[in-house]
Amino acid sequence: MSPSDATALPARPDRIFDRAEEWTDLTAFVCDPRPGATLALVSGQRRQGKTVLLEAVGQATGGFYFDGQAAAEAESLRRLAERLAEHTGADRPPHWHHWDEAANALLALGDEHPAAVIIDDFPELVGHSPALSSVLHGAFLRVHQERPGNRTRLILSGASPAVIRRLFSGPSSLHGLASLEVAVRPFGFRKAARFWGIRAPRLAVQVHAVVGGTPAYRGDLVCDDAPAGPDDFDAWVCRTVLNPRVPLFWEARHLLEQEGTCTDRALCHSVLVAIAGGRSTPGGIADRLGASLHDVSHVLAAMRNHGLLHGEPDAFRPGLTRYRIAEPLLAFEHAIAWPHRAALEQQNTTDVWRRVRPLFDTTVVAPHFAQLCRDWATRYAAWDTFGGDVETAVRGTVPDPQGDTRLDAEVVVRGTADGRPGVLLSVGLARWKEVMDAPHLALLRRILALVAASGEDIGQTVPACYSSVGFGPELRAAEAKGEVLLVGTDRLYHGE
């Protein structure tokens, strides 16, 4: 069965917002009538709706679902046996002493027809039973050799991409078995706005700068509270993410605790505070903290490996890696909530928010807006917007000999044009609370001149200005002449 043959697949439940591609891939995998046991891998950080999706797939296909938990091996085997007895209608659960017995019983479910066997949070089980991966590998080999008609569709799920990679790559005994890999990621910024029911683009940027595209933050963690409109944003922040009585207030610190990325938790928080405050390079972070570059680099690598940080090369200095916090809530926490935690717990939240609101605009929303502009360039811009196929959009800095400083360009776009990869398609500035006009275009031209002087070909480079509050008459006139690309929030959310 092809995944595109959606007419033969179970319908996606209304309670699952979007996830159409993931649903089609998983149900097509489960319902595939061809002989042979198969394995699928599902990964995704916590709170992305992965469990809800897998439970729904199991229910729609009559499959078996088991939620792995951190427990002693004997306890996990007992729970699994009880769930399997409920699923099959057996009078009593089997009594297993080892995982090989359980693996054989689970794979036997597909002897007669395609059968989904879904084990969620698989790494939690492996953590207490390290041999489990090898046991499954052996059981799969036996099934393929002895019962080639078996059609078990085993789906293993894990929240941590780092753990999943270790289990399913390199020398792992499960390497090469997975025929499908599905990543359940946060919603993109446009989809997140629809999920929250937000129509005003600037409000959508602000909300996304706080909670990103994580679906769970829309429900129980904020008591289903969404801003009523642009004028309600400040009050919404105070009654949700800055309110100790609301679960979202505590969520960011749980993200670090659950990942277990750092043995030195204090240094992890300090590194995140430094990044949230604008330091993006290892050297800059180490200088800000007064810590050794070795220690900081170790923490950066660990958090990047666990998906908490993104590391990207500078657009014009590829040897320089810049870091940004992957989860907006974590950035908000370390820029706003963490430094003012005591005041938020002891004082009037509205008063504290009023004091830190300017900091929110400069250190949280402004860089987040720039990131959304980069996302727009790579995901939504039409081919003719930049005159090529966009491959990357990152931040870039160039030295300015005149001022002995560096000039920043927030949206540097590269791609393929006329068959040539790596072409500099665009250099852009992003401003959250600035009306952009002629001085910004002059700055762009200065940056382009410096880039050209360094040997870069700027023959196809489009100067671009991104603003959430608009553009002045001189810049509009330059746009009419084709001298600059202008992108406001309406185009960011609705245009190409």
Side-chain angles (χ1 to χ4, degrees):
M1 178 186 302
S2 168
S4 62
D5 187 14
T7 57
L9 303 178
R12 175 167 48 93
D14 292 338
R15 71 178 183 277
I16 298 179
F17 178 83
D18 197 72
R19 303 300 188 200
E21 183 176 345
E22 295 91 336
W23 177 266
T24 298
D25 287 343
L26 288 170
T27 53
F29 170 82
V30 170
C31 298
D32 188 345
R34 292 174 295 182
T38 51
L39 171 67
L41 167 65
V42 177
S43 64
Q45 298 288 6
R46 291 174 174 82
R47 309 295 194 188
Q48 304 308 322
K50 175 171 49 64
T51 292
V52 173
L53 176 65
L54 292 175
E55 287 179 333
V57 168
Q59 292 169 2
T61 61
F64 172 69
Y65 172 89
F66 178 70
D67 55 324
Q69 298 178 4
E73 183 172 304
E75 172 65 14
S76 295
L77 286 169
R78 183 190 63 78
R79 289 184 59 247
L80 179 59
E82 291 175 350
R83 295 285 185 85
L84 185 60
E86 293 174 6
H87 177 75
T88 61
D91 293 336
R92 64 184 65 181
H95 185 63
W96 297 320
H97 295 91
H98 305 287
W99 273 110
D100 55 352
E101 299 170 285
N104 291 333
L106 291 175
L107 292 176
L109 293 175
D111 281 344
E112 302 298 330
H113 53 77
V117 176
I118 303 169
I119 303 180
D120 202 1
D121 286 330
F122 179 68
E124 296 285 353
L125 299 176
V126 176
H128 291 266
S129 303
L132 180 54
S133 297
S134 296
V135 168
L136 276 178
H137 180 262
F140 251 78
L141 289 180
R142 287 193 300 274
V143 166
H144 277 281
Q145 293 170 1
E146 300 171 5
R147 307 197 305 277
N150 178 283
R151 288 175 287 175
T152 299
R153 309 307 180 209
L154 180 60
I155 300 176
L156 303 180
S157 169
S160 171
V163 174
I164 288 295
R165 282 195 296 271
R166 288 198 298 271
L167 292 175
F168 288 87
S169 62
S172 166
S173 60
L174 288 175
H175 176 64
L177 285 183
S179 59
L180 173 68
E181 296 188 16
V182 175
V184 182
R185 298 185 174 90
F187 294 139
F189 68 91
R190 287 186 173 183
K191 199 168 293 180
R194 296 198 299 271
F195 182 67
W196 280 81
I198 298 174
R199 295 184 177 181
R202 289 193 83 252
L203 174 61
V205 174
Q206 291 173 306
V207 172
H208 198 271
V210 177
V211 295
T214 298
Y217 298 163
R218 174 68 177 83
D220 293 342
L221 269 69
V222 294
C223 306
D224 205 32
D225 185 353
D231 294 339
D232 188 42
F233 175 74
D234 292 318
W236 174 80
V237 169
C238 292
R239 65 180 183 257
T240 56
V241 70
L242 294 184
N243 184 354
R245 295 182 298 277
V246 172
L248 190 63
F249 179 84
W250 306 99
E251 176 65 14
R253 65 174 57 183
H254 293 161
L255 291 175
L256 279 181
E257 294 170 357
Q258 291 168 348
E259 292 298 341
T261 53
C262 292
T263 54
D264 188 344
R265 191 75 61 188
L267 183 57
C268 281
H269 284 296
S270 296
V271 166
L272 290 170
V273 169
I275 296 175
R279 301 296 181 102
S280 61
T281 65
I285 296 167
D287 181 66
R288 171 70 176 81
L289 300 182
S292 74
L293 182 59
H294 175 271
D295 290 344
V296 167
S297 297
H298 177 75
V299 168
L300 290 172
M303 288 196 287
R304 181 179 181 176
N305 192 41
H306 282 258
L308 298 178
L309 296 178
H310 290 308
E312 299 160 334
D314 185 278
F316 303 118
R317 302 157 67 197
L320 178 66
T321 298
R322 296 188 178 278
Y323 289 87
R324 59 183 175 86
I325 300 172
E327 169 57 61
L329 184 65
L330 208 57
F332 178 88
E333 166 77 11
H334 287 86
I336 303 299
W338 182 267
H340 302 91
R341 178 71 67 180
L344 289 167
E345 294 179 6
Q346 299 170 14
Q347 302 175 21
N348 183 282
T349 301
T350 303
D351 293 339
V352 177
W353 174 243
R354 189 180 297 114
R355 292 199 303 270
V356 302
R357 184 64 160 85
L359 187 66
F360 170 73
D361 283 324
T362 56
T363 65
V364 178
V365 188
H368 191 77
F369 174 68
Q371 182 56 45
L372 296 191
C373 294
R374 293 189 285 267
D375 291 344
W376 175 84
T378 56
R379 298 182 187 181
Y380 302 112
W383 183 92
D384 56 0
T385 298
F386 298 114
D389 294 317
V390 174
E391 295 167 356
T392 62
V394 297
R395 177 183 168 188
T397 59
V398 294
D400 184 2
Q402 289 184 356
D404 194 26
T405 59
R406 295 191 181 277
L407 302 179
D408 286 332
E410 288 80 14
V411 190
V412 180
V413 180
R414 292 185 185 275
T416 300
D418 300 326
R420 296 179 296 122
V423 174
L424 184 61
L425 298 177
S426 179
V427 173
L429 305 176
R431 299 293 184 266
W432 170 242
K433 294 189 72 175
E434 262 182 68
V435 175
M436 303 181 77
D437 211 344
H440 296 91
L441 182 55
L443 175 57
L444 278 173
R445 288 169 174 163
R446 173 65 180 159
I447 292 173
L448 287 172
L450 293 171
V451 170
S454 70
E456 182 97 47
D457 182 3
I458 63 169
Q460 290 185 242
T461 308
V462 178
C465 290
Y466 303 79
S467 173
S468 73
V469 290
F471 309 98
E474 294 181 74
L475 205 54
R476 286 293 186 187
E479 178 192 34
K481 297 177 185 177
E483 298 176 354
V484 64
L485 169 70
L486 304 185
V487 180
T489 52
D490 284 339
R491 185 171 183 178
L492 199 66
Y493 274 85
H494 305 295
E496 299 180 336

